[in-house]
C-alpha cells in the first residue's frame, strides 16, 4: 500500500457503500508510480467482491489534475527489463480490470488528464469532464506511443481524429471529449461534493449503472464553448487522408490553415519522435485486436521495446532530467531503416 492513494468507503442512506479512490500525488499532477497502480488494483479487487459497494468514484487530489499519466522519469531510469515490464503489465492490468469491471466506476476528469491518466478515465464506465479539463496523448514528445488503451479508444474516434491526436499529441478540452467518446457528462468541478452527496442519498435498488447515469444527467450542463475538434473536423480529415505516413507528414509540415488548435498540434508533432509516429501509424492501421486483453498484450510488447531500444529514455532525459528540451531522436522518417518498426512488434 502507499500514502499516494487514499481509498475509503462512504455509507449511503440505504445501507450500501460508495467506494472513493483519490490519487494523492498532486505535486506530480497525480501521475501514478508502480505502488500507486498496484494499490488501486488491490482496492478495486476488494470492492468488486464486496456486495455492499455499489459504485466507485475515482478523482485526483488538488484542483489541477485527475492524472497526468505514469511516472515516466522513474521508468526511464529503471535498470532492468523486468522492472520495465512489471510497470506496464501492472498498469495495463489495471486498465483492463476497469474496462471489465461489473460495477459502475465514475472518473472525475477535471484538470490535466493525459497519457495514462486519459487511459484510466477512458476505461471507466462513467466519465465526467469539466470546463477546465485538458486532455492529450502526448507520447510523441517522449518517444513512447499512445498507450494505456490509446490503441483502443483512438482507433474508435470519428473519422481519423484519433490518428491525428495520436500522431501529434494535440491537446483538447472537455467539450471535445463529449464528441470523442471520452466524456459522458459535462459538470462544474465545484459540484463534486454535490454529486457524492447525490450518490449517498440515492436508492440503490435498481440498475446501478443507470442510477449513476441519471445522477450525472441531473448535474450535466451544456458547454458554453464550441468543440475545436468539430470545428476543425474537415481540415483534420484532409490532413489524415493523404495515403501514407510520409504523405501525411508532408501535409502536416505544409499546413497553411489558420486553426490555432491544428497549429499547436503540429508544433508538438514537429518536435516529436519519428519512431513514435511510425509506431502510432502501425497501431492505427495494422493492428486489429479482437479484445481489450489482446490489445493490451500488443501494447505491453511495444511499450517495453520503446523503453529498452527506442527513443523513450532520450525523450524523458530531454524533458524531465536534463530539461534541455532538445531530444536527439535516433531516426527520422527519411532515414529509418527497413525493419526498424517491425522490431517493436516482436517478442
Amino acid at each position: 500500500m502507499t500514502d499516494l492513494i487514499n481509498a475509503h468507503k462512504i455509507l449511503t442512506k440505504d445501507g450500501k457503500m460508495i467506494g472513493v479512490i483519490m490519487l494523492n500525488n498532486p505535486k506530480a499532477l497525480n501521475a501514478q508510480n508502480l505502488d500507486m497502480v498496484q494499490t488501486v488494483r488491490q482496492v478495486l479487487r476488494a470492492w468488486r467482491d464486496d456486495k455492499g459497494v455499489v459504485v466507485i468514484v475515482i478523482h485526483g487530489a488538488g484542483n489541477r489534475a485527475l492524472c497526468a499519466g505514469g511516472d515516466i522519469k522513474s521508468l526511464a531510469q529503471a535498470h532492468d527489463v523486468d522492472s520495465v515490464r512489471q510497470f506496464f503489465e501492472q498498469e495495463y492490468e489495471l486498465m483492463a480490470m476497469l474496462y471489465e469491471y461489473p460495477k459502475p466506476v465514475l472518473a472525475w476528469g477535471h484538470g490535466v488528464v493525459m497519457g495514462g491518466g486519459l487511459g484510466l478515465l477512458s476505461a471507466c464506465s462513467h466519465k465526467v469532464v469539466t470546463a477546465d479539463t485538458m486532455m492529450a496523448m502526448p507520447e510523441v514528445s517522449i518517444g513512447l506511443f499512445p498507450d494505456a488503451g490509446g490503441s483502443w479508444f483512438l482507433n474508435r474516434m470519428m473519422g481519423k481524429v484519433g490518428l491525428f491526436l495520436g500522431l501529434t499529441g494535440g491537446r483538447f478540452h472537455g467539450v471535445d471529449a463529449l464528441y470523442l467518446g471520452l466524456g459522458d457528462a459535462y459538470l462544474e468541478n465545484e459540484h463534486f461534493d454535490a454529486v457524492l452527496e447525490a450518490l449517498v442519498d440515492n436508492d440503490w435498488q435498481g440498475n446501478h449503472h443507470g442510477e449513476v447515469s441519471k445522477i450525472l444527467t441531473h448535474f450535466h450542463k451544456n458547454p458554453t464553448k464550441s468543440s475545436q475538434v468539430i470545428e476543425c473536423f474537415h481540415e483534420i480529415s484532409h490532413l489524415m487522408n493523404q495515403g501514407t505516413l510520409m504523405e501525411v507528414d508532408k501535409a502536416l509540415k505544409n499546413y497553411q490553415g489558420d486553426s490555432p488548435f491544428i497549429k499547436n498540434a503540429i508544433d508538438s508533432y514537429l518536435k516529436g519522435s519519428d519512431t513514435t509516429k511510425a509506431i502510432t501509424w502501425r497501431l492505427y492501421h495494422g493492428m486489429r485486436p479482437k479484445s481489450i486483453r489482446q490489445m493490451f498484450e500488443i501494447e505491453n510488447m511495444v511499450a517495453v521495446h520503446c523503453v529498452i531500444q527506442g527513443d523513450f529514455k532520450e525523450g524523458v532525459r530531454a524533458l524531465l532530467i536534463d530539461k534541455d528540451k532538445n531530444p536527439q531522436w535516433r531516426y527520422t522518417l527519411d532515414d529509418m531503416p527497413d525493419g526498424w518498426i517491425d522490431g517493436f512488434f516482436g517478442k
Side-chain angles (χ1 to χ4, degrees), residues 4 123 192 195 301 347:
L4 298 179
F192 177 79
V195 170
M301 175 175 57
K347 291 294 184 180

Side-chain angles (χ1 to χ4, degrees), residues 161 164-165 167-172 176 228-240 248 251-270:
V161 170
F164 176 80
L165 296 175
L167 285 175
T168 66
R171 297 186 175 192
F172 56 101
D176 301 306
Q228 309 167 94
V229 169
I230 295 301
E231 289 179 346
C232 299
F233 181 76
H234 293 297
E235 280 190 284
I236 292 172
S237 297
H238 175 72
L239 290 167
M240 293 297 104
V248 167
L252 290 170
K253 290 176 177 176
N254 293 328
Y255 176 70
Q256 298 297 316
D258 57 4
S259 164
F261 170 64
I262 293 179
K263 286 181 177 179
N264 289 335
I266 291 175
D267 284 344
S268 171
Y269 174 86
L270 294 176

Side-chain angles (χ1 to χ4, degrees), residues 180-202:
L180 297 175
L182 294 175
D184 299 311
Y186 191 83
L187 275 62
E188 294 181 9
N189 188 48
E190 293 74 17
H191 283 163
F192 177 79
D193 290 338
V195 170
L196 269 186
E197 185 176 347
L199 293 171
V200 168
D201 291 342
N202 192 62

Side-chain angles (χ1 to χ4, degrees), residues 127-179:
K127 298 172 271 289
V128 169
V129 293
T130 75
D132 294 317
T133 296
M134 176 63 72
M135 293 179 166
M137 294 301 285
E139 288 80 5
V140 69
S141 299
I142 56 169
L144 191 55
F145 69 99
D147 70 323
S151 306
W152 189 262
F153 61 79
L154 291 176
N155 286 29
R156 283 160 176 75
M157 289 181 180
M158 57 184 177
K160 291 187 177 178
V161 170
L163 177 62
F164 176 80
L165 296 175
L167 285 175
T168 66
R171 297 186 175 192
F172 56 101
H173 302 294
V175 62
D176 301 306
L178 295 176
Y179 292 95

Side-chain angles (χ1 to χ4, degrees), residues 30-82:
N30 300 316
Q32 290 200 86
N33 60 27
L34 180 59
D35 286 342
M36 293 172 70
V37 169
Q38 291 176 323
T39 298
V40 174
R41 283 190 61 199
Q42 292 171 12
V43 171
L44 287 174
R45 274 198 300 266
W47 288 350
R48 180 185 58 198
D49 301 329
D50 186 338
K51 294 182 180 179
V53 176
V54 290
V55 60
I56 288 92
V57 176
I58 300 177
H59 68 114
N63 198 39
R64 298 171 59 203
L66 167 64
C67 177
D71 182 3
I72 58 173
K73 186 175 180 179
S74 295
L75 187 60
Q77 294 174 327
H79 296 296
D80 59 277
V81 178
D82 288 341

Side-chain angles (χ1 to χ4, degrees), residues 184-340:
D184 299 311
Y186 191 83
L187 275 62
E188 294 181 9
N189 188 48
E190 293 74 17
H191 283 163
F192 177 79
D193 290 338
V195 170
L196 269 186
E197 185 176 347
L199 293 171
V200 168
D201 291 342
N202 192 62
D203 179 358
W204 292 100
Q205 302 307 310
N207 177 285
H208 295 169
H209 282 83
E211 291 298 310
V212 175
S213 296
K214 187 188 302 181
I215 289 170
L216 292 182
T217 298
H218 173 75
F219 285 95
H220 172 83
K221 67 168 188 174
N222 292 323
T224 57
K225 59 183 179 181
S226 58
S227 164
Q228 309 167 94
V229 169
I230 295 301
E231 289 179 346
C232 299
F233 181 76
H234 293 297
E235 280 190 284
I236 292 172
S237 297
H238 175 72
L239 290 167
M240 293 297 104
N241 283 316
Q242 297 297 312
T244 66
L245 175 56
M246 294 296 290
E247 290 167 329
V248 167
D249 180 75
K250 181 178 179 180
L252 290 170
K253 290 176 177 176
N254 293 328
Y255 176 70
Q256 298 297 316
D258 57 4
S259 164
F261 170 64
I262 293 179
K263 286 181 177 179
N264 289 335
I266 291 175
D267 284 344
S268 171
Y269 174 86
L270 294 176
K271 299 172 185 174
S273 161
D274 280 12
T275 292
T276 291
K277 298 168 192 175
I279 290 171
T280 303
W281 184 270
R282 173 79 65 88
L283 284 167
Y284 189 89
H285 289 96
M287 297 292 111
R288 290 292 180 266
K290 297 179 180 179
S291 66
I292 288 289
R293 291 281 176 177
Q294 186 183 51
M295 181 271 299
F296 279 122
E297 288 178 7
I298 295 169
E299 285 199 350
N300 186 46
M301 175 175 57
V302 177
V304 171
H305 283 305
C306 283
V307 174
I308 300 305
Q309 69 186 44
D311 279 335
F312 178 73
K313 291 184 179 181
E314 173 61 13
V316 174
R317 179 207 64 76
L319 182 66
L320 295 178
I321 299 175
D322 297 337
K323 299 181 180 180
D324 57 32
K325 297 184 179 180
N326 185 32
Q328 302 301 303
W329 305 124
R330 187 164 302 187
Y331 298 114
T332 67
L333 292 178
D334 291 322
D335 64 19
M336 196 171 290
D338 292 340
W340 170 241

